[in-house]
Amino acid sequence: MSEKIYVRKVETWTISSASEPIEVNVEGLRKCEPPYEGESHDELIDYLTENVWGNYEWYDNETNIEVYGEDEAFALSMEEAYVENEFFDSRTKGEDVNIQVGVPNEEWTRYGGFETFASSEY
């Protein structure tokens, strides 16, 4: 153990926000490159995640622009989908709390400048 050791309390909250909903033209996706071939919601989310979301090549593809529409294809990629509608904030219900043992360390920026050696359960 180092010469000096510190303890701190950590409170964690969850805030969830979402963009405005964008209608999905499933039949249009079936004519795009690559074509959507699924039948379930899970298959649709897999297709969107693997092929469309944030994929410049998908929304810039000539076939996809022609079939799906240029503005619609870009919107579906969510490149500029603004996440501004907060729908859940756990601070109104309480927080998850734990304590941590460690030392201040400016290089540990992800953890608020604290190098954690051990923490309690939530």
Side-chain angles (χ1 to χ4, degrees), residues 19-62:
S19 67
E20 288 295 321
I22 298 169
E23 184 175 352
V24 178
N25 176 352
V26 175
E27 292 310 310
L29 290 178
R30 294 187 190 289
K31 299 172 187 170
C32 288
E33 292 180 14
Y36 171 62
E37 298 173 345
E39 296 296 330
S40 71
H41 295 118
D42 289 333
E43 290 170 318
L44 178 59
I45 199 70
D46 289 345
Y47 174 85
L48 292 171
T49 302
E50 294 169 12
N51 298 293
V52 181
W53 183 29
N55 186 347
Y56 171 80
E57 293 173 357
W58 186 89
Y59 71 77
D60 197 46
N61 177 293
E62 288 183 33

Side-chain angles (χ1 to χ4, degrees), residues 1 5-8 99-103 114-119:
M1 222 184 307
I5 196 80
Y6 301 81
V7 64
R8 71 178 186 170
I99 59 172
Q100 299 175 337
V101 173
V103 293
F114 193 79
E115 183 176 355
T116 304
F117 302 137
S119 65

